[in-house]
Amino acid sequence: MDHVTRILDQWHRERPDLDVAPMGLLGRLGRLHAHLSREIEAELAAHGLNRASFDVLATLRRAGHPHRLSPGDLLAATMVTSGTMTNRIDQLEKQGLVERIAHPEDRRSVLIGLTDKGFATIDRAVTAHVANQHRLTAALTAAEFEALDALLSRYLSAFEEKG
């Protein structure tokens, strides 16, 4: 029995008039998020990264050769404020993982690119991250995984299509 079931049992006993089923679903999603986040952060930390730095490096890596994007494109892909993105880029640049490169078509702007060190770091980290994700979802059968993924996609779309 999970922790949320115990809470729901208490509410059923104390307030049988309330339908607390959504509390169960949302509570489980929240608790799963907390457990998964801790596991993911630990794996990223083993590579000297956190979610924020991983997000920027992974966005540059999956952009394809030459692994460069404008700060605006990074903002759009990561959905953070420009100040937050500037801070992330500054920190990654200090670590030698990214570099600012003069934009070849617009000398007033720059591109953010992976350095060789950044490329190697994100390739190692994403390989470990994917293996970790497989480990974290291994409690589900293939059919359960597929069904849960489809349901969560449908649920998430209901929120994102409004936006």
Side-chain angles (χ1 to χ4, degrees):
M1 175 184 310
D2 67 39
H3 181 72
V4 174
T5 298
R6 288 190 286 279
I7 291 170
L8 295 177
D9 288 347
Q10 291 168 339
W11 279 119
H12 286 302
R13 184 187 70 236
E14 297 298 317
R15 290 291 309 269
D17 58 309
L18 292 178
D19 175 8
V20 293
M23 185 187 294
L25 175 69
L26 298 176
R28 286 184 181 96
L29 287 173
R31 288 181 65 83
L32 275 169
H33 178 265
H35 287 294
L36 295 172
S37 290
R38 278 192 299 274
E39 296 283 337
I40 290 168
E41 285 288 349
E43 182 61 47
L44 296 178
H47 297 276
L49 303 174
N50 58 33
R51 276 188 187 244
S53 57
F54 178 85
D55 195 23
V56 173
L57 296 177
T59 300
L60 290 168
R61 176 62 177 94
R62 69 177 184 266
H65 187 75
H67 310 291
R68 296 175 181 165
L69 292 171
S70 71
D73 289 338
L74 278 171
L75 277 172
T78 58
M79 299 181 293
V80 298
T81 67
S82 62
T84 298
M85 181 56 67
T86 298
N87 184 43
R88 288 180 182 181
I89 292 167
D90 288 347
Q91 295 306 311
L92 291 167
E93 189 174 37
K94 285 178 189 172
Q95 295 170 25
L97 301 174
V98 301
E99 60 186 342
R100 286 176 167 89
I101 303 158
H103 196 297
E105 297 166 14
D106 181 1
R107 290 306 216 186
R108 296 169 298 160
S109 63
V110 298
L111 295 173
I112 308 304
L114 287 175
T115 62
D116 290 343
K117 179 181 175 184
F119 186 92
T121 299
I122 192 58
D123 261 15
R124 282 190 306 274
V126 77
T127 299
H129 179 60
V130 169
N132 191 38
Q133 290 175 324
H134 280 276
R135 180 184 66 81
L136 294 171
T137 58
L140 302 172
T141 67
E144 289 167 338
F145 179 98
E146 189 174 312
L148 181 59
D149 190 48
L151 288 170
L152 290 174
S153 177
R154 186 169 146 228
Y155 190 30
L156 181 59
S157 293
F159 289 92
E160 292 185 345
E161 289 172 3
K162 289 180 189 177

